[in-house]
Each structure stands twice: as C-alpha cells, then as structure tokens.
Amino acid sequence: MLNFEQLGLSKPLTDHLLTLGYITPTPIQEKAVPLLLSKENDLVALAQTGTGKTAAFGLPLIELCDQLDKNTQALILAPTRELCVQITSDLENYCGVVKRLNITAVYGGASISEQIKKLRKGSQIVVATPGRLIDLLERKAVDLHNIKYFVLDEADEMLKMGFQEAIDTILSSTADEKNVWLFSATMPPEISRIAKKYMSNPVEITVGDKNQGQC
Ligand code: AMP
C-alpha cells in the first residue's frame, strides 16, 4: 500500500498529514495526486463526497502553489457557501505551518467588502461560488489572469443550480495555459461539453460506480 510521500508529496507535508491522521491515501487520492503533481494533464474525476476528493486536489495545489508569489495561482469553484467554507478550512488544515498560503473563501450572503479586503492582501488560492466570483470580477477585485490551476468541484451540482453560463464566463476570464481539474459525482453530457471546450486531453478517473446523472 502506498503512502503520501510515495505519491510525490514532500516530507514536511506528509509528516504534517500524519498528525492529522492521514496515513493512507484513499483510492481517489492515490490516482489523482501523482497525476496532478505532474501538471501534464487536465483531469475529469468522477467521485462522490466522502471519497477524500478535497485532499485529492487540495494536496497537489498546496504543493504546487508558490507562497512567495502573492498572485492568485489557483481557483476552486464550488456550488455552495457551505462547501466553499469546508474546502477552505480543509486546505488551511492541510497547510498547517508547513506552507504559508493565503486561502480566501468568497461566497454570496456575506460581506463583499470584507472579502475584497482579504483578496487585496493577496490570495494564492481563491475558493469561490460562481455568482459572488462574477460580482468580484466585475468590480475588478479579483484577478484570474495568472491562475495556473482551475478546480471545478461538484461540477454536476453547479450545473443543476444553473451556473452553466457563470462557469463559461469565469473560465473565459482565465489564461489558456492552466490545468483544469474537474470533480463531479455524475457525468451528464454538459460536463463532457465543458471538458471538450476548456480542457486538453483530460485523463478520466473514476472512484466507485459511474453514474449518468441528470442535469
Ligand atoms: P471529502 O470527500 O474530501 O469530503 O473527505 C471525506 C472525509 O475523509 C473528510 O473528513 C476528510 O478529512 C477525510 N479524509 C480524506 N482523506 C483521508 C485520508 N487519506 N485519511 C484519513 N481521512 C481522510
């Protein structure tokens, strides 16, 4: 059985993960972490909540983001405020004192001026819901031109909630040279459209049953 260091993560990070009780990678982590660390491929991952998908994309992001560069290097898009907060808190835990990254959650229903204040300090990783992110883009409070990693989490849920146009707008505000990592519990046709339009030769990995889903 492989451990996190064998997947390519650094010793300080894997030592820290041990203190969090992360000893053995889950199947999605075992498949995704080495692939994402290599930056060679875009990814479509079919995985439900509870499979360890947050660490599957979060640990490579933490490893790859440069803490000395204050530009936003990674964007994680999630359908709900709750998921946004959860991802942010998980990523902060994974960083511990090993990596000093500013991770900012931006979502609707909370003070936009507070979020703008945090963004102005420089956030290497932004975790956002689509509507609030578009608002921030229109106010020029967030700059996505330098992002190298774009994560769509629970992509099928975002489409079900009507965020298709918002996702298109956000994706077109980013540079072409980036990795796109898409996580979804189901694979409706619209996900294939996003993959075709915005991803280059994505690797597809599946954990558990592949479900056709409805959008
Ligand atoms: P997620 O699917 O990302 O929501 O993760 C589900 C739960 O599993 C969360 O409570 C994580 O903290 C936990 N978890 C994820 N990966 C591991 C791991 N490799 N070892 C132990 N716990 C984990």
Side-chain angles (χ1 to χ4, degrees):
M1 207 177 282
L2 293 174
N3 60 37
F4 281 103
E5 211 174 342
Q6 289 165 309
L7 299 187
L9 295 173
S10 66
K11 177 111 174 63
L13 188 57
T14 51
D15 283 349
H16 172 60
L17 289 175
L18 289 179
T19 69
L20 301 178
Y22 283 47
I23 298 154
T24 312
T26 66
I28 184 89
Q29 292 160 5
E30 204 170 304
K31 288 182 184 173
V33 171
L35 189 90
L36 301 183
L37 284 173
S38 79
K39 299 185 279 182
E40 277 170 14
N41 290 96
D42 287 346
L43 171 72
V44 174
L46 291 175
Q48 318 268 346
T49 297
T51 52
K53 67 184 170 62
T54 313
F57 64 76
L59 297 173
L61 278 187
I62 288 168
E63 204 70 272
L64 292 168
C65 283
D66 179 356
Q67 63 187 18
L68 300 176
D69 177 357
K70 289 283 186 272
N71 284 309
T72 298
Q73 299 157 49
L75 170 69
I76 302 165
L77 216 51
T80 63
R81 168 196 179 121
E82 290 73 22
L83 186 59
C84 225
V85 170
Q86 183 63 51
I87 293 170
T88 306
S89 144
D90 285 353
L91 263 56
E92 282 169 348
N93 279 339
Y94 300 152
C95 282
V97 292
V98 173
K99 195 103 185 225
R100 300 203 178 273
L101 295 172
N102 291 335
I103 305 167
T104 301
V106 297
Y107 47 81
S111 160
I112 196 162
S113 51
E114 283 301 312
Q115 293 174 356
I116 292 173
K117 222 186 272 172
K118 277 194 187 161
L119 289 168
R120 284 214 183 106
K121 289 185 187 151
S123 297
Q124 286 93 352
I125 303 180
V126 171
V127 190
T129 52
R132 176 53 59 98
L133 185 63
I134 291 209
D135 198 344
L136 290 162
L137 281 169
E138 284 169 358
R139 293 171 189 237
K140 303 206 183 314
V142 63
D143 181 2
L144 301 180
H145 289 102
N146 297 305
I147 66 160
K148 299 186 181 94
Y149 313 102
F150 191 122
V151 183
L152 282 157
D153 194 18
E154 300 201 353
D156 51 351
E157 287 301 317
M158 278 193 276
L159 295 172
K160 271 189 210 160
M161 291 167 75
F163 285 131
Q164 186 176 317
E165 210 178 301
I167 294 171
D168 278 326
T169 305
I170 294 163
L171 272 161
S172 50
S173 311
T174 60
D176 287 342
E177 315 79 53
K178 63 182 177 301
N179 287 122
V180 181
W181 306 341
L182 184 153
F183 288 75
S184 188
T186 63
M187 190 63 177
E190 186 52 26
I191 302 265
S192 309
R193 186 195 71 84
I194 291 177
K196 269 202 202 96
K197 191 164 174 192
Y198 295 108
M199 302 167 95
S200 44
N201 301 320
V203 171
E204 188 178 314
I205 59 180
T206 303
V207 174
D209 287 337
K210 192 161 161 177
N211 179 342
Q212 284 300 308
Q214 297 290 323
C215 240

